[in-house]
Amino acid sequence: MDTLLMHCRPGFEGEVCAEISEHAARLGVPGYARSKPQTACAEFVCLEPGGPARLMAGIRFEQLIFIRQWARGRFVELPEQDRISVLLEHLADLPVCTSLWLEVLDSNDGKELSTFCRKFDVPLRKALLKAGRLVEQGRGARLLLTFISGRRVFLGLAEDDNSAQWPMGIPRLKFPREAPSRSTLKLEEAWHHFIPRDEWDARLSDDMTGVDLGASPGGWTYQLVRRGMLVTAIDNGPMAESLMDTGLVQHLMADGFTWQPKQTVDWMVCDIVEKPARTASLIETWLGEGLCREAVVNLKLPMKQRHAEVRRLLERMEAGFKARKVRVSIACKQLYHDREEVTCHLRRLDLKPRAR
């Protein structure tokens, strides 16, 4: 189990290598990262026994930015017949797992393998249960099988409380037909990723107020309205009539980088196409000056040094909040529905909830 396999968005393999190498250096885990362009994965090969387990134990998965899913393990070659017997043989020296996920990479080859995985899941699960290698109850180690092809699989383990919430790190969200644009799924995924589901009623309630900067045509406004919030949509472009008909949206034709509310709002969301440094300054102003209690904002990424730029901007915001003496939690992730961007969630921890 000397390799850590990591899933990512195609084209971001280099960012994954940079990110995991930074963590490995911090934790003193010797090894090296490697990847091939557009394969939607990267590996970190450890040079000491137990290295991957120590690396995973030293990192909370939700702190990772570009890594969608991870597992420690090894590659196994499979025959065309009786794949299950070979897998059982390789599982003999591993701990009994409490769940099983069959995964593929987010690539064209992976998509072709998804049908095979669906058909292979049931007989494999039955065999694992019968052999006592899988006990589907409680919490513990998850068996993650990432199929590279029908003849090659990465046999991996990850703790179910320190890995992705969904297989391959991809939530299965359905695009609502009444939404004005597909960008609406970015904000919906952000809420699933950053806010525990049992806190939605308290933190995304229908007596809250929200602001959408750069709102047109209203993909993100739609999600706020869907939760019953009163929304101020800031954009010089038009808003979808269906949103305006709800009576919950006030559309102001103004510049999202200069407009500010007269009193604190519960939520600010922003998906403006702009240089990330300028957007980061906007975030610092809104949270630092108490213009909002929580925010979800996308940072558009440069063509090169994307991981380094994200780290620099996050550190700059942290320093800015510290200088203002305000307490703000910051989380960042490249979500499945993101493209050349990352999504940031920020929350003021020292602002009292608005009286309901």
Side-chain angles (χ1 to χ4, degrees):
M1 309 290 282
D2 62 348
T3 299
L4 184 68
L5 179 70
M6 298 157 287
H7 296 229
C8 66
R9 181 176 184 82
F12 282 80
E13 297 82 8
E15 283 64 41
V16 169
C17 288
E19 183 173 19
I20 198 64
S21 296
E22 183 180 275
H23 284 291
R26 174 178 59 84
L27 294 168
V29 177
Y32 59 92
R34 63 185 182 188
S35 66
K36 293 181 180 179
Q38 301 298 323
T39 55
C41 70
E43 301 169 33
F44 188 84
V45 180
C46 293
L47 301 179
E48 65 178 18
R54 189 155 68 87
L55 188 56
M56 296 176 81
I59 308 169
R60 290 305 305 170
F61 182 79
E62 58 265 22
Q63 296 174 340
L64 297 169
I65 298 173
F66 293 99
I67 299 170
R68 285 186 187 167
Q69 176 65 294
W70 64 355
R72 61 185 181 274
R74 55 178 175 261
F75 288 97
V76 174
E77 304 301 324
L78 298 174
E80 290 187 24
Q81 304 293 329
D82 202 13
R83 298 181 178 92
I84 291 176
S85 294
V86 173
L87 287 172
L88 286 173
E89 181 180 341
H90 281 275
L91 287 169
D93 60 343
L94 299 183
V96 175
C97 295
T98 56
S99 59
L100 167 68
W101 285 0
L102 272 62
E103 302 185 322
V104 297
L105 301 175
D106 187 17
S107 63
N108 290 332
D109 290 341
K111 292 173 184 176
E112 292 178 0
L113 281 167
S114 59
T115 300
F116 162 77
C117 288
R118 285 196 298 271
K119 293 181 178 180
F120 190 53
D121 184 285
V122 173
L124 175 61
R125 191 177 299 272
K126 288 181 178 179
L128 293 176
L129 289 168
K130 183 178 180 181
R133 305 310 307 168
L134 176 65
V135 179
E136 293 183 309
Q137 59 183 8
R139 301 181 66 85
R142 174 172 289 140
L143 178 59
L144 297 170
L145 300 182
T146 301
F147 282 86
I148 309 303
S149 71
R151 297 182 179 183
R152 193 167 194 245
V153 64
F154 185 83
L155 191 157
L157 297 177
E159 282 62 45
D160 56 13
D161 62 351
N162 196 31
S163 55
Q165 300 180 52
W166 311 278
M168 302 147 54
I170 300 176
R172 302 302 175 183
L173 303 180
K174 184 178 180 181
F175 173 65
R177 289 182 297 175
E178 64 274 18
S181 68
R182 293 197 65 84
S183 70
T184 193
L185 295 176
K186 296 181 187 179
L187 184 53
E188 183 178 357
E189 183 182 356
W191 283 344
H192 281 285
H193 182 82
F194 295 116
I195 304 178
R197 192 65 179 85
D198 59 2
E199 296 181 15
W200 278 32
D201 288 344
R203 294 169 63 183
L204 297 168
S205 68
D206 59 8
D207 61 352
M208 288 183 165
T209 56
V211 169
D212 185 356
L213 302 178
S216 177
W220 284 32
T221 296
Y222 170 83
Q223 290 295 333
L224 299 171
V225 168
R226 197 179 191 183
R227 300 296 302 178
M229 296 186 199
L230 289 172
V231 184
T232 302
I234 308 299
D235 202 302
N236 287 316
M239 295 293 291
E241 290 298 325
S242 59
L243 289 173
M244 302 308 299
D245 289 343
T246 65
L248 296 175
V249 181
Q250 179 187 21
H251 178 201
L252 300 180
M253 301 185 73
D255 183 349
F257 280 94
T258 59
W259 182 88
Q260 293 184 355
K262 294 181 180 179
Q263 60 184 17
T264 302
V265 298
D266 295 293
W267 279 94
M268 182 272 276
V269 298
C270 175
D271 191 28
I272 297 177
V273 179
E274 183 53 87
K275 292 181 179 179
R278 190 182 184 202
T279 303
S281 294
L282 179 72
I283 297 172
E284 189 179 330
T285 297
W286 273 75
L287 274 294
E289 296 184 5
L291 301 179
C292 65
R293 291 177 173 82
E294 292 196 59
V296 171
V297 181
N298 272 6
L299 295 177
K300 310 301 177 180
L301 299 178
M303 292 298 294
K304 297 180 180 180
Q305 299 294 316
R306 293 177 291 198
H307 174 257
E309 178 70 358
V310 171
R311 291 304 315 162
R312 185 182 72 82
L313 293 175
L314 293 176
E315 290 169 1
R316 196 186 83 180
M317 285 191 285
E318 289 175 358
F321 294 136
K322 184 177 181 180
R324 293 172 184 262
K325 297 182 178 180
V326 297
R327 293 175 57 231
V328 179
S329 67
I330 307 175
C332 182
K333 190 75 175 182
Q334 185 176 45
L335 302 175
Y336 172 69
H337 292 95
D338 286 340
R339 294 183 182 276
E340 302 294 319
E341 60 204 350
V342 293
T343 299
C344 294
H345 170 253
L346 302 97
R347 186 185 188 190
R348 274 289 294 261
L349 302 176
D350 52 0
L351 276 182
K352 294 181 179 180
R354 179 168 56 89
R356 306 300 183 195

